[in-house]
Amino acid sequence: MDHNILLTKLKDRGVPHCLVKWFHSYLRFWCQTVCIDNQYSDLVYINAGMPQGSPLGLLSFMLLIDDLSVDCLTHKYVDDTTLTEFLPRGSQQTHMQTFLQQLHTWATPNKMKINFMKTKEMIIGPLAKFSPQHLSDSSANSPVIVERVQQFKLLGITISHDMNLQTHIDAIITKASSRLYFLKILKKVRS
């Protein structure tokens, strides 16, 4: 989160100048150092990011991504963004490549990076039967391939192309069984 971009967006939103100045003073003198074997590095002033756990961090990030706009339905939740396209019945052609390019076009001047390792495409419904394809981000210096998947995890929920929740339920059962096992071990240790 670049501080200058954030302050510019505050001004563009019509936030009163006194509040922009106050926010600037809040961000201005954050610095960091590294300690290894009792040796400290020089102080480095930070012109991006937010202090972890800062109450203003989430609000600032929401302001930063508020103007993110592409030509499809967009769902934003903190630092996760989901692009949704509804395909007409019988159509096999998606426009997700165009939407990905639009997202990249927005991200670049906002100094945001798209994590292509986590970026996936999934078709839900009857069209999911078609062969897997890949999207590529042609705007990047090197070709970036976005994999089409049958299922993925979004905000802690495993979503399947057929909207079957069995994979998600199985994951919850596995996690609960593991935790119950450790509780059982702890009980034996305490006895």
Side-chain angles (χ1 to χ4, degrees), residues 16-29:
H17 183 69
C18 62
L19 290 178
V20 174
K21 280 181 66 174
W22 174 83
F23 201 68
H24 180 257
S25 70
Y26 172 73
L27 296 173
R28 190 170 55 192
F29 292 116

Side-chain angles (χ1 to χ4, degrees), residues 11 20 22 38 59 72 74 80 115 134 136 159 161-162 165:
K11 290 176 195 171
V20 174
W22 174 83
N38 291 327
L59 182 64
C72 68
T74 307
D80 286 325
N115 185 343
H134 299 283
S136 63
I159 300 172
H161 70 94
D162 58 2
L165 290 176

